[in-house]
Amino acid sequence: MENYKNLFVLVDIKKEAIKKRINETFNTIFIDPDERFYFELNPSMSYMLDTGNDDARSEGMSYGMMMAVQMNRKDIFDRLWLFSKTFMYQKAGKYEGYFAWSVKPDGTKNAEGPAPDGEEYFALALFFAAARWGDGTEPFDYSVQARDILHHCVHQHELVKNGNPMWEPENYLVKFVPEVHFSDPSYHLPHFYEIFALRANESDRRFWKEAARASREYIAKSCHPITGMASEYAYYDGVSVEFSKKRQQFYSDSYRVAMNIGLDAAWFGDVPKLRACVNRLQTWLSENTELGKYDSYLLDGTPIGEEAMHPVAIIATTAAASLASDNKYRYDWVRDFWNTPLRKGKRRYYDNCLYFFCLLLLSGEYKIY
């Protein structure tokens, strides 16, 4: 898709101001000495620090790579990728071909298992890098690396002893982790899978096309019919997983669902079932909350008396949903997001990652390469 919508200009924000905001936000994340969370380990490797947990995660590393490729920063991209490949990539055992989801800033693993959202973002960022800069020598043969990641995601049970795939072979749905049989609604990225269906190994392309279809259906099932909220984890029928109270709630991971629906619409067009979900979410939040002051909620909107951990992320992702919504509040969310500053302090990592993605998305600068 080449005609990317810029919703900021529709609320009378000048293109020069939008470009300035994008560059300033990128600089805050990657350069600012006080607020950045990108750090160099050595001249050839860097990491994205989860400032709330003092670790580097496959989520954040792959997010940083996507930011870098969108901003045409091959230097940053390659440093992040080399750190990931050196310290997170598993070379043996049942996780061979996957990436450990958490390591210390020095690269020491905190965990062995992977988180599929990291693999998804790694793969697409690598495909985009190949398109922008061309494949180099290993490990910078980006498209080769991306195809290998995706092949393991689908075929781990065939490739590795005691291995488990990240997607269910029968229903094409991404799992929360390879060993379980339930999902995380925010891991569902049908717009990524559409691209995988064109660029993955040819034998896997039908799988990814089916995964895109199945994920759009799943997202619609997982969003509440009144509030539009999705839970952190949900079974394959969309019903919330009940092993932990917080996981039944509209909580941290859940906020990304709205952003994902917005990006899917921006790249591949309107899906009525998903439009209905974000219409409900924007309407419920507009009519039942005060901007920036959010509780944690049960999916029906009942507050549980616990302040939301990532309020800036809620604003950013709900605004990004305006690319898919058509309700009367959609442009209010765009304006409110524009007027919301980046988060500062200990918990800034997650909020500001999503802030930057949503800023790119709403300005028409989050592009397919």
Side-chain angles (χ1 to χ4, degrees):
M1 182 173 180
E2 297 181 358
N3 185 25
Y4 298 94
K5 294 180 181 178
N6 185 334
L7 295 195
F8 288 129
V9 299
L10 299 182
V11 296
D12 300 321
I13 299 167
K14 302 298 184 184
K15 289 184 178 180
E16 295 78 11
I18 299 167
K19 184 176 180 180
K20 183 172 182 283
R21 176 73 64 85
I22 291 171
N23 289 330
E24 287 176 347
T25 303
F26 186 83
N27 287 341
T28 298
I29 292 172
F30 287 90
I31 298 171
D32 184 279
D34 298 318
E35 296 299 325
R36 66 179 172 145
F37 43 91
Y38 166 84
F39 298 96
E40 291 187 9
L41 178 65
N42 57 48
S44 61
M45 296 187 206
S46 300
Y47 61 90
M48 305 289 283
L49 181 71
D50 180 336
T51 55
N53 295 287
D54 296 318
D55 64 350
R57 302 183 169 202
S58 59
E59 168 198 78
M61 298 298 290
S62 58
Y63 278 6
M65 288 167 57
M66 182 62 79
M67 294 176 194
V69 74
Q70 291 293 327
M71 296 295 285
N72 201 24
R73 289 295 302 267
K74 186 177 186 296
D75 56 333
I76 291 174
F77 186 100
D78 285 352
R79 290 190 194 104
L80 291 169
W81 176 235
L82 188 58
F83 181 102
S84 302
K85 191 72 175 178
T86 301
F87 296 115
M88 306 176 102
Y89 184 74
Q90 301 283 24
K91 297 180 181 178
K94 69 177 183 178
Y95 297 129
E96 181 181 344
Y98 289 159
F99 292 77
W101 75 271
S102 172
V103 301
K104 293 180 172 65
D106 66 2
T108 305
K109 291 183 178 67
N110 292 319
E112 297 294 326
D117 58 334
E119 267 72 1
E120 293 176 302
Y121 269 85
F122 277 136
L124 192 62
L126 287 161
F127 279 134
F128 286 177
R132 293 207 82 168
W133 307 316
D135 283 333
T137 58
E138 188 179 359
F140 304 113
D141 48 346
Y142 307 121
S143 66
V144 175
Q145 300 286 330
R147 292 187 184 102
D148 184 67
I149 290 169
L150 295 181
H151 193 65
H152 277 272
C153 287
V154 175
H155 298 286
Q156 191 76 348
H157 56 306
E158 300 163 352
L159 299 172
V160 175
K161 183 179 179 180
N162 298 321
N164 289 287
M166 288 189 176
W167 271 256
E168 288 284 5
E170 293 79 17
N171 61 22
Y172 308 99
L173 297 178
V174 62
K175 305 175 186 179
F176 170 59
V177 294
E179 291 82 3
V180 303
H181 298 285
F182 59 85
S183 192
D184 177 329
S186 76
Y187 284 9
H188 287 259
L189 307 174
H191 43 297
F192 283 27
Y193 312 155
E194 294 282 3
I195 299 170
F196 296 163
L198 299 172
R199 305 188 195 181
N201 291 335
E202 189 168 351
S203 59
D204 294 335
R205 292 180 182 180
R206 178 186 168 275
F207 181 94
W208 291 113
K209 191 67 176 178
E210 287 297 314
R213 176 198 57 75
S215 278
R216 291 186 179 110
E217 292 290 331
Y218 176 82
I219 294 168
K221 290 178 183 177
S222 69
C223 292
H224 192 273
I226 296 173
T227 67
M229 296 176 182
S231 62
E232 287 247 305
Y233 306 153
Y235 296 110
Y236 295 143
D237 60 1
V239 175
S240 295
V241 172
E242 298 180 357
F243 67 85
S244 168
K245 184 177 74 170
K246 281 190 174 63
R247 306 315 180 190
Q248 301 174 54
Q249 298 167 14
F250 182 61
Y251 203 68
S252 299
D253 277 16
S254 311
Y255 309 153
R256 299 184 295 197
V257 173
M259 177 182 74
N260 296 339
I261 292 172
L263 187 55
D264 189 23
W267 283 0
F268 292 102
D270 178 59
V271 178
K273 287 182 179 180
L274 301 184
R275 175 173 16 101
C277 293
V278 289
N279 277 341
R280 294 179 188 118
L281 180 66
Q282 288 187 330
T283 298
W284 192 90
L285 288 171
S286 295
E287 295 179 354
N288 294 278
T289 67
E290 182 179 349
L291 185 72
K293 296 181 179 180
Y294 306 111
D295 206 291
S296 294
Y297 305 96
L298 301 180
L299 296 190
D300 64 3
T302 303
I304 66 166
E306 181 180 317
E307 185 177 352
M309 188 177 294
H310 301 291
V312 171
I314 294 176
I315 297 170
T317 55
T318 307
S322 296
L323 280 153
S325 67
D326 59 4
N327 68 81
K328 64 182 181 180
Y329 299 108
R330 62 188 298 228
Y331 293 117
D332 293 338
W333 280 101
V334 176
R335 292 187 191 93
D336 288 337
F337 172 51
W338 180 260
N339 293 322
T340 298
L342 283 165
R343 187 169 185 178
K344 294 181 180 293
K346 182 73 171 172
R347 290 287 179 182
R348 67 189 183 278
Y349 151 81
Y350 185 72
D351 293 76
N352 292 353
C353 280
L354 299 188
Y355 187 108
F356 186 68
F357 284 139
C358 295
L359 184 64
L360 288 179
L361 178 52
L362 287 166
S363 62
E365 295 296 330
Y366 200 159
K367 297 179 179 180
I368 296 171
Y369 291 98

